[in-house]
Every structure is written in C-alpha cells, then in structure tokens.
Amino acid sequence: MAGRFAPRPTRPTRTTVRGGDVGVPGAVAARQPGAGAARVRTYVPDGALDLGLVLGPLRRGPGDPTFRALPDGSFWRASLTPAGPGTLRISGHGGEVRGEAWGPGGDWLLERLPELLGAADDPSVFAPRHQVVALARHRRPGLRLTRTGLVLESLIPSILEQKVTTDEAYRAWRLLVRKFGEPAPGPVPVRMSVMPSARTWALIPSWEWHRAGVDDKRASTVLRAVRVAARLEEAARMAPAAARERLEVVPGVGPWTSAETVQRSHGAADEVTTGDLHLPGIVGWALAGDRDADDAVMLSLLEPYAGQRHRAARLILLSGRVPGRRAPKMPRVDIGRW
C-alpha cells in the first residue's frame, strides 16, 4: 500500500497540489495531552491506496486547522459530524489502515472510514484515452475519490474560494475556523479546530468577515446556506446531480461551487468543475495543446471520459502539465486592511 510519505526530488507544483497532492510536511510540535481513550477501527483496502492523494482534496491549505499531515505518514481530521465534533487519525501499516477517533463524533467518523478512503469508488472502470492521462494514472495507482458524507464541510470553504486567490480563501478559512470553531477533541498535534456549527456561522459579526478578507457577497452566501443547513446536509444521501440542484437553489451557489462540494461530499467521479479560471486551459493544453480552451472545449475534450470526467481532470492536474504563464499572477487583496 502506497500511503506513506517519501521525499520527492522536486517540490510539488501549484497544479499538482490543486489535484490533491499533499507535500511532505515538516517537523511538528509534541501532541497535546490525551482526552480519553481512542476508539479504533482497522480497514483493509482492496487495492493500492495512497492516503495523501485520497485525503489531499480535503485540506484547505497548509495551515488548515481541521487537517494535519505528519511526517510519520498519519493524517488528522477534525470534523463536525451529525453526532457532534470528532477527531480522526488515519495511518497506514503494511496493507492495513488504522483509524483512531475521539470525541462525540468519533464513532460516526469510524463508521464511514472506508468511504472516506474511497471504498465506494471504483477506479477500475476508468479507461485512459490520452497518453498524459494514462501516464498520470500509472504514476498514481493509489488514487481513490474520497466521500465524506458531509456537505457544509465542503460547501463553506468552496464559497470562500469564489473569485479570489487560493491564498486569500485559505487565510479566510483558517482565521474563521480558529476564532469561531471549537478545539478538536483528543490528543491532536499542535492546534486543531472543528468547523463552527451552522448557528455559529450565522452569528459571526460582519466586521469579523471583513477582517478575514471575506467580502459581503461571499459572506452573505455562507449565511444563506447555513440557514438551510439541515436541508443541504440531506443532499449527502442524494445522487450527485440531484445534490447539485439542491445546492444551487441557494443564491450565490453556482455550478463551480456545487461541483467542488459534491466532488468531496459524494466522491462524484463525473462532476467536473466548470466556471473555473484555470482548469479549462490546463485540460485544453494537456489534451489538445490549446491553452485558450473554454468550458465548452474542455467538456468536449473530456467527453470520452463520460462518467469519470472528474477523475480524468484530477489526473491531468496531478500530471503537472500546465501551460506557461503569460500574465502576472492575480494580486492578493486584503480587504481587512481597508
């Protein structure tokens, strides 16, 4: 099982990171004192499994307070489950995965550990039609699509990522979760926090959104979403297409945001992201040498992968094949300083 970290000769690019590639972490401080015995579950995957690739899309930047990757190859997640807050530690040993959980939501997290690690995903049905995709798949045999079963956990950070740089979005998520979330239960490494509840999100003052660099449009979208949190969480039990329709009923949630959400909450293999600033050009360049491709061209190029278009797009991102930059990077704008 490919689940442990090994130093790579070159640093992962921004493109491969976006595809779910978690880089090698540095040293961390000692763990905090334990808070009760952990509940444990073991899981034996039915094939190659790379924990970093599977769980990587759940990390919102290297400073995400809900996610930690340690040098020993273990991964920590702090989640707000229907049963309450919980912390999950995942580690690989030989061909077996060990899950340890703490907090009221620990049992809920352990029950869904196999799905989180891609047990509901079937990569064998994927047939590469392009050399770059085939090579990326060959190099990443442990890629599975995660399924968290939690909608708001992926929806809110996706809203924060609308029309801003990833650095700005990651900073907003980090600041808001640390300030308004609660400490993650268990002997977590360094400092981890559980995402705020829907009610807590709704009570965040307007100036705190501003200080975190979140404009009124995105903040208002989050507030509209958390007001119907229960109905949105029901979408976790729907088919991906139906779940997207329900999410897009919320004003401010469009195709880009709904796709980014169900890719994580449902493990949706075919829900490709449209409306993205960079993805069409990356896919167009990798498959046809067309760096100016738009959504229509991208969807046409991905048509041979119908049913698996999101997996194909992830493999393209993980290939690192990206057109050279022709313009300066989008500038960071910190509205909290205004």
Side-chain angles (χ1 to χ4, degrees), residues 71-91:
D72 63 1
S74 65
F75 296 83
W76 293 72
R77 291 193 70 235
S79 298
L80 183 62
T81 75
T87 302
L88 179 65
R89 178 183 184 269
I90 305 171
S91 57

Side-chain angles (χ1 to χ4, degrees), residues 109-121:
L109 292 171
L110 288 178
E111 181 182 351
R112 288 157 181 79
L113 178 64
E115 287 192 357
L116 182 70
L117 300 179
D121 180 40

